[in-house]
Amino acid sequence: MIDRFDLSTIGAGLPVSDVIGNLPARGPLVVEAPPGTGKTTLLPPAISNLTASSGITLVTAPRRVAVRAAARRLAFLDGTPLGDRVGYSIRGEHKDGSLVEFVTPGVLLNRLLKDPELTGVGAVVIDEVHERQLDTDLVLAMAMEVAFLREDLYLAAMSATLDAEALAAHMGAQILSTEAVTHPLDVSYHPHPGRAEGSREFYRHVADLAANQAPNGRDGRTLVFVPGAREVDMVCSQLPSAAPMHGRLSNVEQDEALNGKAQVVVATSIAESSITVPGVNRVVDAGLSRVPRRDAARAMTGLVTVSAAKTSADQRAGRAGRLGPGEVLRAYSQSDYQHFNADIAPEITTADLTSAALTLAAWGSPDLPLLTPPPANALADAQRTLRSLGALDDNGITALGEELAAMPLDPRLGAALLQHGSGAARTVAALAESASGDLARAHAPQRQVDRYARMVPDTAPVPPGEVIATAYPDWVGKHLGNREYLLASGTRATLDTTIPPSDWLAAAEIQLTAKGAVIRAAAATEFPANRVEESTTASLIDGRLRSRRLTSIGAIELTSTPITLSPAEAQEALAGIRIDFDDFPLDENAQRLRDRLFFLRERYGDPWPDVREGDYSPEVGELARGTSIRKLDMRAALMRQLPWPEAADMDTLAPERLTVPSGSHPRVDYSTGRPIVRVKLQECFGLSSSPEVSGVRVLFHLLSPAGRELAVTDDLASFWDGPYTEVRKEMRGRYPKHPWPEDPWSATATAKTKNRM
């Protein structure tokens, strides 16, 4: 007999129970339900009842505290001990469940890599898809591929705010929707000038809002939203009865927030939709979120504090109206809210992709159906990191990469653990738990330490700074003074005030703020002598090649000594310097030739060359031999680029000078991309119309006898017929000794001009 859940008992009072009878017998399925409707509680057992004959139902929740809370609630409503019909699995902690098991996306990723068919699994339910966390997006795409191959696997995705129609179209799924029971909310705005910079004064303001008595004598708890664990602790320290709620807490501390007596719970975004804090009818919202953000210019990812999305702000507010009328105090203005982004940015577009790239390589699917594709440059940076670890090579994932992919760790932490052995387990555990502050003093759960230690050979304890430097070599930093550090990546960062400074440190967590990068987690380390590299640099200074011998740790320069290179060494050094055509100084003759060649290239294309892409290796060779760049014969270099025999036609197609009726030969200027001639007006008498160069009319700047500009035209015929009359009238009195004929276009006028000039 198949074991089933009593859905009427479990779903009593839950809004989603009204639509549970419409649950389709087969997936894929998209469940659209706001927070507080009971979807996480009722949908998994309902799907288990449909698929129990095929195996267990796995349910992902994006955070460990949410996994534990969901499993405990379902077991409680089912009336069975946790670990009997309902279980859970998070990093370092597991309780069996015969029918439903709640897991983090990371745990399910590891299971998929070990067993791509998900043997013994009848259904996969992916909760909180709208949060667009990276691991959740990966799990959804991989599970879609498994469900395509296994018709008996029931796949469901649950979302509170994501566009259900778009998600269903992506999955080829049906939609099951339910409405939340909503109560009126009294929303008020209380802005503070310190919000943008996240000042201590702003968080005192948030604490004051939380401490104020609720109006009308309402009983209930207050839920406060701030961006991170540091701010949670800051606000809690200013309230007499407040419990923190964030992912770094122990199980006991998390249970205290959920089920304790504290009248105020101060939480990160973990309480938006992943978990429900009971008894809440009042919300105080700082309107901020902490998210990973990749700095493409520095090829690094850190945490940044940004305004929450409107969907997040609305979900937070909704937490006050689940039980009855509620109150929402927003620590920002209504105008601020109107300028919030409409929705959460997918983490795959902003986060470090090193772990994701390794997962993709291990999974091996060339066309994984991701909701959002990863940015190409971010994925390339991640793959370079994996290559530096030895996890990838030209053939794909290596044996080491397979080993790292199987470890429940970021590949950089896994590589550090493999290199240093069990002596690094305590530091790796602290890093895996995202501990902040001085990591030399950080505490990690002993079960995690023991778990990681069992994965590798026994070794003596390794200093935390050495372990961190192995995992994050680009974040080794040298003290510059005043808590400022220069990292090997080239980034300057400020050390958090909770961490004691040292000459050298290894950073593990960096937050990108409006004022720059801030090191939030680090440990002191000895001078990393084994990472010192020697290199030769070359640059052009004042037109000559200058070389130096450097010792450095990444971008941290230790010594710099001037050296003289041999011609061969100089040639090699110059190969590393990008010398563009524009770097070569051109004298007047070379500039004129360049302009003529640009004109011919524009008019005719091939075979006339783009001289910016020409071969100037002989000139580079002269630089290597010590010649100043200012003494190079660039006209000869340009002549070398000309095509032969076409070059013989150059003076016809783009003449350097133009012959005018007076017998003079004014220069043709091609610098603007068209032929221009500056010439005294009298010298053009006898030109009835404007001449052309390669089909382009010459633009004449007609000058007075004193060389002042009288007119600009590329249509001499029109000029003679019109504007010339006024010019003649004015100029005859000013320059009576010069000819001003009434028929300037005629040969007679030309003869008169020659006789008078």
Side-chain angles (χ1 to χ4, degrees):
M1 181 177 176
I2 298 175
D3 203 4
R4 298 184 187 278
F5 290 98
D6 182 352
L7 300 182
S8 61
T9 299
I10 295 171
L14 298 178
V16 76
S17 63
D18 294 337
V19 299
I20 203 67
N22 300 328
L23 188 68
R26 298 172 63 87
L29 172 70
V30 169
V31 179
E32 180 186 31
T37 53
K39 65 181 185 302
T40 306
T41 300
L42 188 57
L43 264 297
I47 291 175
S48 173
N49 284 356
L50 294 173
T51 63
S53 60
S54 300
I56 193 172
T57 294
L58 297 180
V59 188
T60 70
R63 298 172 181 85
R64 286 176 291 169
V65 61
V67 166
R68 293 177 63 252
R72 287 187 172 187
R73 176 161 178 77
L74 179 55
F76 171 77
L77 294 174
D78 185 46
T80 56
L82 185 62
D84 182 6
R85 304 207 307 175
V86 180
Y88 69 89
S89 186
I90 59 179
R91 187 171 56 213
E93 191 175 340
H94 174 79
K95 285 187 179 295
D96 284 326
S98 61
L99 296 182
V100 173
E101 183 180 342
F102 290 86
V103 299
T104 58
V107 168
L108 183 50
L109 281 178
N110 285 336
R111 288 194 188 181
L112 282 161
L113 292 179
K114 292 175 182 176
D115 178 14
E117 294 183 4
L118 288 180
T119 307
V121 175
V124 173
V125 180
I126 302 172
D127 202 2
E128 313 298 357
V129 174
H130 64 275
E131 293 194 10
R132 298 307 310 276
Q133 290 194 359
L134 179 53
D135 280 356
T136 299
D137 277 10
L138 289 172
V139 162
L140 175 62
M142 291 162 71
M144 284 173 61
E145 291 200 332
V146 178
F148 179 78
L149 297 173
R150 273 191 54 193
E151 293 185 358
D152 63 328
L153 182 69
Y154 195 118
L155 176 61
M158 302 200 294
S159 170
T161 63
L162 200 64
D163 183 346
E165 294 286 346
L167 179 58
H170 179 75
M171 296 176 60
Q174 304 173 69
I175 298 176
L176 180 68
S177 298
T178 185
E179 298 293 330
V181 176
T182 57
H183 297 280
L185 293 176
D186 178 12
V187 180
S188 57
Y189 294 87
H190 309 268
H192 186 279
R195 176 177 173 273
E197 63 185 58
S199 66
R200 289 187 174 274
E201 291 74 18
F202 170 69
Y203 288 106
R204 275 198 289 271
H205 170 67
V206 171
D208 290 343
L209 292 175
N212 292 338
Q213 286 294 108
N216 304 323
R218 286 184 191 143
D219 293 327
R221 306 173 83 188
T222 297
L223 178 58
V224 182
F225 286 99
V226 293
R230 185 168 173 268
E231 291 78 11
V232 166
D233 294 340
M234 199 183 303
V235 173
C236 283
S237 68
Q238 300 174 57
L239 294 168
S241 175
M245 170 57 70
H246 55 76
R248 295 176 180 171
L249 298 175
S250 68
N251 293 347
V252 173
E253 291 169 321
Q254 291 170 356
D255 290 344
E256 171 62 27
L258 288 174
N259 306 311
K261 304 299 182 183
Q263 287 301 298
V264 178
V265 175
V266 186
T268 61
S269 58
I270 193 172
E272 275 180 25
S273 58
S274 297
I275 61 171
T276 298
V277 178
V280 170
N281 64 0
R282 192 165 178 264
V283 164
V284 175
D285 181 17
L288 298 169
S289 296
R290 185 150 298 146
V291 298
R293 185 64 49 83
R294 184 173 179 275
D295 185 334
R298 292 180 284 188
M300 66 176 290
T301 302
L303 296 174
V304 298
T305 302
V306 298
S307 289
K310 283 184 180 178
T311 50
S312 293
D314 294 344
Q315 284 189 77
R316 294 175 183 184
R319 288 304 192 180
R322 289 190 62 234
L323 303 176
E327 181 186 17
V328 180
L329 292 84
R330 289 173 163 167
Y332 47 90
S333 69
Q334 191 165 7
S335 174
D336 290 334
Y337 172 78
Q338 294 302 326
H339 287 89
F340 286 177
N341 289 334
D343 213 338
I344 299 169
E347 200 173 84
I348 198 169
T349 64
T350 63
D352 178 278
L353 298 181
T354 305
S355 290
L358 185 60
T359 298
L360 292 172
W363 185 248
S365 175
D367 299 307
L368 195 64
L370 292 162
L371 279 170
T372 303
N377 57 350
L379 186 59
D381 285 342
Q383 290 167 341
R384 276 193 290 271
T385 298
L386 294 171
R387 285 176 179 272
S388 71
L389 295 175
L392 293 182
D393 62 19
D394 292 341
N395 297 316
I397 192 166
T398 64
L400 173 61
E402 297 279 5
E403 187 175 5
L404 292 174
M407 299 175 76
L409 285 166
D410 179 286
R412 288 161 292 201
L413 296 183
L417 184 63
L418 290 174
Q419 179 173 329
H420 294 293
S422 65
R426 187 166 298 280
T427 302
V428 168
L431 292 170
E433 293 295 312
S434 301
S436 290
D438 183 1
L439 285 166
R441 302 176 185 176
H443 297 287
Q446 188 60 44
R447 67 178 183 277
Q448 290 291 77
V449 177
D450 295 340
R451 182 187 184 203
Y452 296 139
R454 287 193 296 269
M455 295 179 182
V456 290
D458 285 339
T459 58
V462 180
E466 188 174 345
V467 178
I468 300 167
T470 301
Y472 305 105
D474 285 346
W475 287 1
V476 170
K478 183 181 186 295
H479 195 201
L480 303 177
N482 298 323
R483 306 191 74 82
E484 294 295 317
Y485 283 80
L486 175 62
L487 305 182
S489 66
T491 299
R492 286 177 176 259
T494 303
L495 186 64
D496 190 280
T497 55
T498 61
I499 307 172
S502 57
D503 289 341
W504 289 86
L505 59 69
E509 180 183 328
I510 296 179
Q511 183 181 343
L512 302 178
T513 72
K515 294 182 178 180
V518 179
I519 299 169
R520 297 297 190 197
T525 187
E526 297 294 324
F527 172 70
N530 62 321
R531 291 186 169 84
V532 175
E533 297 178 340
E534 187 175 277
S535 61
T536 298
T537 66
S539 56
L540 288 174
I541 300 175
D542 295 330
R544 292 188 181 274
L545 179 66
R546 308 293 185 188
S547 301
R548 306 184 75 85
R549 186 83 68 197
L550 300 181
T551 59
S552 60
I553 298 172
I556 304 171
E557 186 177 298
L558 303 175
T559 63
S560 176
T561 307
I563 59 172
T564 301
L565 299 178
S566 69
E569 290 173 325
Q571 188 86 28
E572 183 179 350
L574 280 168
I577 303 174
R578 179 173 175 81
I579 301 179
D580 292 324
F581 175 74
D582 292 337
D583 294 326
F584 291 107
L586 305 181
D587 62 18
E588 186 176 349
N589 286 332
Q591 286 179 19
R592 287 198 292 266
L593 178 56
R594 175 202 61 188
D595 295 342
R596 292 170 71 196
L597 291 172
F598 280 175
F599 173 76
L600 289 170
R601 175 70 180 179
E602 179 67 24
R603 292 299 297 163
Y604 298 106
D606 291 335
W608 297 100
D610 182 349
V611 295
R612 290 167 296 193
E613 305 297 330
D615 175 17
Y616 301 99
S617 54
E619 286 67 39
V620 173
E622 290 187 50
L623 290 175
R625 289 188 290 274
T627 302
S628 169
I629 197 170
R630 295 186 181 87
K631 293 185 177 180
L632 298 176
D633 186 349
M634 291 307 298
R635 189 178 191 284
L638 288 170
M639 290 296 293
R640 198 175 61 246
Q641 314 301 319
L642 295 184
W644 296 96
E646 290 85 354
D649 297 327
M650 185 172 179
D651 285 339
T652 301
L653 298 176
E656 190 170 4
R657 292 180 179 274
L658 185 72
T659 301
V660 293
S662 68
S664 68
H665 305 282
R667 193 180 301 280
V668 183
D669 179 3
Y670 295 91
S671 61
T672 64
R674 69 173 299 178
I676 297 174
V677 170
R678 296 176 59 85
V679 62
K680 290 181 179 179
L681 186 149
Q682 279 80 9
E683 297 194 53
C684 293
F685 290 162
L687 273 179
S688 60
S689 61
S690 296
E692 294 185 352
V693 171
S694 288
V696 180
R697 281 184 180 180
V698 174
L699 182 69
F700 283 95
H701 288 244
L702 300 173
L703 310 178
S704 73
R708 294 180 180 146
E709 195 167 275
L710 297 175
V712 178
T713 182
D714 66 357
D715 187 352
L716 282 174
S718 295
F719 175 73
W720 299 139
D721 287 341
Y724 171 72
T725 303
E726 293 300 320
V727 171
R728 178 175 180 268
K729 188 184 299 182
E730 181 180 347
M731 292 293 105
R732 285 177 69 192
R734 188 175 300 180
Y735 300 101
K737 294 183 179 181
H738 290 76
W740 299 100
E742 295 183 4
D743 56 345
W745 57 84
S746 71
T748 303
T750 303
K752 292 177 181 177
T753 302
K754 286 182 178 181
N755 291 332
R756 298 276 296 273
M757 292 182 69

